[in-house]
Amino acid sequence: MVDTPEDIRLVVLDMAGTTVADGGLVEQAFAAAAGRLGADPDAMLDYVRATMGESKISVFRHLFGEEAKAQEANRAFEKAYSELVDGGRVAALPGARQAIEALTSQGRTVVLTTGFARTTQDAILAALGWQDLVPLTLCPADAGGRGRPFPDMVLTAFLRTAAADDVRQIAVVGDTSFDMLTGVRAGAGVVAGVLTGAHDADALRAAGARHVLDSVADLPRVLG
């Protein structure tokens, strides 16, 4: 880790809870998916909340055990979440777009990542008008299938953009413990948590955050 972040060249930002307002959509979509499989969502919500930020298929594998059921639940979840997005239930967090544009103007490359499937990620980007906001967006399938807390998406961003010469020139920013652990495992020079999503400051710091920000809007100043 480094304490002086001025040399950060690649910024890997989470979406839901970090740059995109979640508004409980993950829990609503999960409840719909669990109901489709005849499961009681209330009995599973604590685990879902604790694993916010993790790849969704990994969560369903843990909850349902059998791969076929996990895949069915994941498809139902993605369908329900996409319907909520299409219904206008998604919005950018205040200052998020401006922060991304400011980071870009500082000469940094910004990549957006998610634990959702590509179809859901694309639906969110389209709803926000963010299709051309950054040069690269990644979901677990783009990085070989492993999402957070594995470092694969961060390292894929590092390799594909060639924006940094060293992993210590990467900043990883998110709202969950899994985002922080991903940044630590990738060797990122800056691992920062934001308080606009799932986990509080203590949980973020315990997972490796060196900076805890009120929101992503503060990031250009911290790095600048």
Side-chain angles (χ1 to χ4, degrees):
M1 296 293 182
V2 296
D3 293 319
T4 53
E6 293 84 357
D7 196 37
I8 295 299
R9 300 182 189 177
L10 174 62
V11 182
V12 180
L13 297 177
D14 170 52
M15 292 181 65
T18 302
T19 55
V20 180
D22 174 69
L25 298 191
V26 168
E27 291 186 18
Q28 291 176 47
F30 169 77
R36 177 164 180 164
L37 272 73
D40 177 12
D42 292 337
M44 301 177 176
L45 272 177
D46 284 345
Y47 183 80
V48 171
R49 290 170 181 146
T51 55
M52 286 289 188
E54 187 176 2
S55 171
K56 294 298 173 284
I57 185 61
S58 297
V59 174
F60 288 122
R61 283 175 179 142
H62 174 88
L63 290 173
F64 292 99
E66 298 176 17
E67 182 67 17
K69 283 188 177 180
Q71 292 291 344
E72 183 182 354
N74 192 57
R75 287 191 296 270
F77 171 87
E78 297 288 349
K79 182 176 184 294
Y81 197 97
S82 293
E83 288 172 352
L84 291 168
V85 171
D86 292 342
R89 297 285 304 280
V90 67
L93 279 162
R97 184 183 184 112
Q98 293 87 340
I100 293 168
E101 291 172 340
L103 292 165
T104 301
S105 71
Q106 291 173 349
R108 311 180 203 274
T109 298
V110 180
V111 174
L112 293 171
T113 64
T114 185
F116 297 139
R118 167 54 61 184
T119 53
T120 303
Q121 185 178 35
D122 285 345
I124 296 170
L125 293 168
L128 299 177
W130 282 12
Q131 298 97 319
D132 300 316
L133 184 59
V134 299
L136 181 65
T137 63
L138 295 171
C139 67
D142 299 320
R146 295 201 309 181
R148 307 180 189 107
F150 297 102
D152 301 27
M153 285 195 289
V154 175
L155 297 178
T156 298
F158 175 73
L159 292 171
R160 288 198 189 178
T161 63
D165 300 325
D166 189 308
V167 291
R168 290 172 294 183
Q169 294 172 331
I170 302 173
V172 174
V173 184
D175 67 300
T176 72
S177 299
F178 287 91
D179 294 307
M180 303 303 96
L181 185 54
T182 293
V184 170
R185 288 178 171 181
V190 168
V191 178
V194 296
L195 298 176
T196 50
H199 295 159
D200 63 18
D202 289 342
L204 295 169
R205 289 194 180 97
R210 291 289 294 275
H211 304 268
V212 176
L213 315 177
D214 287 337
S215 79
V216 73
D218 297 328
L219 187 61
R221 173 185 54 80
V222 170
L223 296 184

